[in-house]
Amino acid sequence: MAVNYSAKEEADGHPSGGVGVPGGGAVGGGSGGGGGGGGGAVKTRKPDNTAFKQQRLPAWQPILTAGTVLPAFFIIGLIFIPIGIGIFVTSNNIREYEIDYTGTEPSSPCNKCLNVSWDSTPPCTCTINFTLEHSFESNVFMYYGLSNFYQNHRRYVKSRDDSQLNGDNSSLLNPSKECEPYRTNEDKPIAPCGAIANSMFNDTLELYRIDNDTRTPITLIKKGIAWWTDKNVKFRNPTGDGNNLTALFQGTTKPVNWPKPVYMLDSEPDNNGFINEDFIVWMRTAALPTFRKLYRLIERKDNLQPTLQAGKYSLDIAYNYPVHSFDGRKRMILSTISWMGGKNPFLGIAYITVGSICFFLGVVLLIIHHKYGNRNTSADIPN
């Protein structure tokens, strides 16, 4: 068999003639059908003569030499190490104090509340006394923390109705099926529906300063703890008379584990119902099983005085949220913040580590280049 290509065929990659067959006519293109009588054109597997298919696209490949690699290692090291030191020092300057009040230890004041249930009446209360060794100078953020609580479970994350939370009246009375089995209760739609809302954190925390056996309450601000977009865009009460939430939520029932309906979460109208900030903060699910969520703010009132002075304090807890059944733990955290957020030394350590490794590799490669770089590595080729 012989295959003939014209110059044009070499250019575009497609034959225009036929393939000669011994003892017969031509098979394929052109007007000379023969032999078998009008067979189809033979397809070629040769790629089109284009820059992409023939791999002729322009490309840039760096040439790695000692003159380019060594300065890169030293520059990365000299930049990353100071940045890491700055971030690490900033993180260490953040004040943070944490109290675990789960009550698993027999000596804990909250041990009596360990086996509390969702509907315990009256709620179990306990008080933990503690001492701050250092003053908290700037605004203080109070968090509650949970451990071994998997808010990132796929079915848990999907168990909500965003249309209902956005104030859609039709979704209020007919929630999404994603909320099952917390969609209805006693033939009434649940508002808010879903597993996320049903498991909302409901411990009550109060902070007091102890001075000469006198307890002075610390003002805890409950507004301004949610994201602005959540408060003003994603979460809205049903449309209607905003001053009468009882009428707006008529025909619905509270989540199974809640002690009271959603329209009784707060006495202030701009922090009640679906726009309650404690509820909004809880509905933003965490990515890891150990997490913290903002609970209250403590603002600095006097620039001449720290927000929380060093000394004795007490934490009063209304223990409503059970965690012992799934081996969870509960914490209260007091923390200040900086320009980089809360206390997190990992980022600074990571920068210092990467910078140190790069600087060390730069020194090692410089020594190797200085010792072996000038040698003639070419070998004589024998005749």
Side-chain angles (χ1 to χ4, degrees), residues 315-331:
L315 178 67
D316 285 5
I317 304 159
Y319 201 112
N320 302 311
Y321 200 75
V323 296
H324 185 57
S325 59
F326 58 88
D327 294 327
R329 302 195 71 86
K330 299 191 291 186
R331 312 181 310 279

Side-chain angles (χ1 to χ4, degrees), residues 113-250:
C113 305
L114 187 60
N115 295 316
V116 70
S117 61
W118 291 95
D119 55 354
S120 296
T121 304
C124 183
T125 59
C126 57
T127 300
I128 297 179
N129 297 319
F130 63 97
T131 302
L132 293 180
E133 301 293 340
H134 304 281
S135 298
F136 286 58
E137 299 292 339
S138 58
N139 292 340
V140 178
F141 296 79
M142 176 186 281
Y143 301 87
Y144 62 85
L146 294 177
S147 298
N148 204 34
F149 192 107
Y150 288 82
Q151 274 199 315
N152 57 357
H153 192 284
R154 183 181 65 86
R155 292 186 62 187
Y156 183 89
V157 172
K158 293 176 62 179
S159 186
R160 61 189 293 164
D161 188 344
D162 287 315
S163 296
Q164 185 191 61
L165 298 174
N166 195 241
D168 184 69
N169 288 348
S170 61
S171 298
L172 180 68
L173 300 177
N174 185 25
S176 169
K177 293 182 179 179
E178 297 285 357
C179 291
E180 295 287 0
Y182 302 105
R183 181 172 177 264
T184 60
N185 186 30
E186 298 178 352
D187 296 328
K188 288 186 177 182
I190 295 176
C193 72
I196 306 176
N198 186 64
S199 59
M200 177 180 169
F201 183 84
N202 63 342
D203 282 359
T204 302
L205 308 176
E206 295 179 349
L207 189 63
Y208 295 87
R209 173 172 170 78
I210 302 176
D211 192 7
N212 297 326
D213 295 331
T214 301
R215 300 207 323 163
T216 304
I218 303 297
T219 303
L220 303 178
I221 300 174
K222 58 187 176 182
K223 294 183 181 180
I225 61 175
W227 290 19
W228 185 92
T229 51
D230 289 348
K231 174 76 173 180
N232 297 279
V233 179
K234 292 184 63 176
F235 291 81
R236 295 178 181 174
N237 284 322
T239 55
D241 185 6
N243 295 324
N244 189 2
L245 289 183
T246 304
L248 293 179
F249 286 96
Q250 187 177 5

